Amino acid sequence: ALLLDPEITTGLAVKGQLLTRAGSAAQMAEGIRLLERAAERVSADTSPRLWLGLSWLSLGFVERAMPLFASARDQDPMMAINNGYLGMAYAMQGRWEEGSRHVQRAVELSPLPFWIFNVAIGLFHAGRVDEARELLMAAHPVLGEVPQFGGAYLEGLIASLDDPERRATFLATNRYEPARDNAAPAMYAALMFGDADHAFDFDEVPGAGAVQTACAWLPSMKWLREDPRFYRRMRMTGAAGYWESEGYPPGCRAVEDPAGRRLACDEMGR
């Protein structure tokens, strides 16, 4: 497509997105440049802006992602993904009410747990347990029928928010077992209740890294983003190399820890 038309928007965007996932800092930088070229073009398709926003979000540059998500959502408000990622970006800025509202709308449009669970995890770790419960309960009618997340899982998660003993049981019941094909619910359980060791057991599971990375930039998830294992995971994706050459997310820097290099984000959000 690009040989026929070097400026075709979809071709630039798709190639850019693939490069950002290719695993090296140089490819990530080139992918972002292509996505920026695609996102500048007027188009009925909001994907280039959304994908560029996702690239910035995964790298921790939430303020760069926000206007892209807002533009995509304003142009196509009936797309669940446009609402969902805008809501997550709001939550990452500590704007919990706006974040909750947008992810609820996303789940109404498409019954996927990703956005709701991520914001609920952030609320829980911010000490806003009642708001986390309200968000999960509001999504219950939609997510209740989703395999792996409905029924006993969602009800058990909600019931465990205030009860440490139930939490321990819920985590034990939802340990990751490849034979059960339960990676996603196991990861959400580990992230919700701060099981750091288990939260890093999913490197070989497709898509799991995206969940972990999205959660890491919520303001209350310091324990996740500052773990040396998170830096190692970001090294695998090319993100850490990108930071080292292009600069770290606002308020963050790299420090050497006995367990390995990690982020220190004490100034994040100030």
Side-chain angles (χ1 to χ4, degrees), residues 59-270:
L59 287 163
F61 294 96
V62 182
E63 77 291 345
R64 300 183 191 179
M66 176 63 82
L68 295 159
F69 291 146
S71 173
R73 193 266 174 191
D74 287 347
Q75 181 174 324
D76 195 346
M78 297 304 291
M79 282 288 290
I81 196 168
N82 290 345
N83 288 275
Y85 279 111
L86 178 60
M88 283 185 56
Y90 275 125
M92 289 174 185
Q93 292 184 330
R95 298 163 68 177
W96 298 109
E97 291 182 10
E98 292 159 293
S100 296
R101 185 173 70 252
H102 283 290
V103 296
Q104 279 185 264
R105 179 58 177 152
V107 172
E108 290 169 4
L109 292 167
S110 180
L112 297 173
F114 176 79
W115 305 295
I116 283 280
F117 278 34
N118 274 279
V119 175
I121 287 166
L123 285 165
F124 178 81
H125 285 281
R128 304 168 77 112
V129 181
D130 289 342
E131 292 169 66
R133 182 186 301 102
E134 289 171 11
L135 186 59
L136 291 167
M137 290 182 70
H140 193 288
V142 179
L143 294 182
E145 303 302 320
V146 177
Q148 292 191 312
F149 294 101
Y153 180 88
L154 187 55
E155 290 165 11
L157 179 66
I158 293 170
S160 301
L161 294 175
D162 286 317
D163 190 331
E165 289 187 11
R166 283 194 175 187
R167 253 178 254 166
T169 302
F170 185 80
L171 282 166
T173 303
N174 288 283
R175 296 289 293 182
Y176 173 50
E177 298 175 22
R180 291 172 58 194
D181 190 28
N182 71 331
M187 172 166 268
Y188 284 124
L191 290 169
M192 179 67 83
F193 297 128
D195 186 346
D197 290 337
H198 195 38
F200 288 97
D201 282 346
F202 301 87
D203 282 346
E204 303 304 318
V205 179
V211 175
Q212 188 188 92
T213 303
C215 263
W217 301 115
L218 290 159
S220 54
M221 297 298 281
K222 176 184 173 77
W223 65 269
L224 180 65
R225 66 178 165 269
E226 296 197 359
D227 192 299
R229 289 168 290 186
F230 178 71
Y231 202 97
R232 287 198 291 272
R233 152 148 269 292
M234 299 304 273
R235 173 76 67 194
M236 291 165 54
T237 68
Y242 183 90
W243 292 333
E244 288 161 7
S245 62
E246 304 291 336
Y248 287 86
C252 295
R253 57 191 173 88
V255 297
E256 300 301 330
D257 188 272
R261 177 170 278 210
R262 66 173 179 84
L263 288 176
C265 300
D266 295 337
E267 301 298 316
M268 185 177 169
R270 293 187 182 179

